[in-house]
Amino acid sequence: MSSTIDPAEVAKFEAMAAEWWDTNGKFRPLHMMNPCRLDYICQQIAGEFGRDLKAGKPFEGLRLLDIGCGGGLLSEPMARLGATVVGADAAEKNLPVARIHAAQSGLEIDYRHTTAEALAEAGEQFDVVLNMEVIEHVSDPAAYLRACHDLLKPGGLMVCSTLNRNPKSYLMAIIGAEHVMRWLPKGTHDWAKFITPDELYELIRGAGLTPVDRRGMVFNPISWRWSLSAKDLSVNYATTSLKPV
């Protein structure tokens, strides 16, 4: 199975690998967004699998794949919630950072230097696939989503987030985040690779999955916080889709 990995994109993140857990470093935007992302992910998983988020380990018994896991910003909370977590990343230098932090946190997470395609080819199957801020960095989004489809068990759930492609997203994600605020190194994102919500829904359907939800993730510069929105998908947004039984 051919890989959809873009070596230039991998190199960008390998260059920043040591900074994953620095809340004031190059991944500060993800740390700021993470509570909002986790809120959405947990709502969707709990709703689909009938789990009580007030329970001690509500995701116990679920096998979860975090594609593009980086330093483990999502893998760790999923493990704390009881899921059996595999974190996969094509950027090899991210993995030692993720493994050391998980060990320091007393968490068992199976971190692997691999790709979605390789995992699918090996016959790996998961109840949940987290596909967060990855699709805008791959060379072939349609092929990549087909691999995600193959990685899901029948009835499995995928959460996929990315950036919308419009003038506002260029202003906020490229000009604002990379040039003005300097939250990210210049060139971290390629605006031409951003995907509109309707385009992503079509790609998801083309991969054999059924889209069931989408929400915006909106940054408020006054409160300096992120929140979920049912209407504003103009910049960052997340989708949920299911694999038919």
Side-chain angles (χ1 to χ4, degrees), residues 4-10 12-13 132-140 162-163 187-190 193-194:
T4 59
I5 294 301
D6 184 334
E9 295 287 342
V10 171
K12 291 178 188 177
F13 288 93
M132 310 297 284
E133 289 84 49
V134 174
I135 195 168
E136 70 269 22
H137 298 288
V138 303
S139 61
D140 186 340
T162 189
L163 288 145
T188 297
H189 288 109
D190 180 351
K193 288 188 172 183
F194 291 2

Side-chain angles (χ1 to χ4, degrees), residues 27-81:
F27 292 104
R28 183 185 180 194
L30 273 184
H31 283 278
M32 293 169 62
M33 186 193 288
N34 222 33
C36 183
R37 296 197 303 171
L38 284 167
D39 185 18
Y40 183 75
I41 290 166
C42 290
Q43 285 180 24
Q44 296 302 311
I45 296 174
E48 180 59 28
F49 293 98
R51 301 304 176 96
D52 180 3
L53 290 173
K54 295 179 182 178
K57 292 191 175 182
F59 296 163
E60 199 161 24
L62 295 178
R63 190 166 191 245
L64 181 146
L65 173 64
D66 181 12
I67 303 177
C69 62
L73 271 62
L74 288 174
S75 294
E76 289 201 6
M78 292 297 106
R80 286 192 183 93
L81 289 167

Side-chain angles (χ1 to χ4, degrees), residues 1-24:
M1 185 179 289
S2 62
S3 172
T4 59
I5 294 301
D6 184 334
E9 295 287 342
V10 171
K12 291 178 188 177
F13 288 93
E14 286 205 316
M16 301 185 284
E19 298 194 45
W20 272 105
W21 290 97
D22 181 355
T23 56
N24 292 310

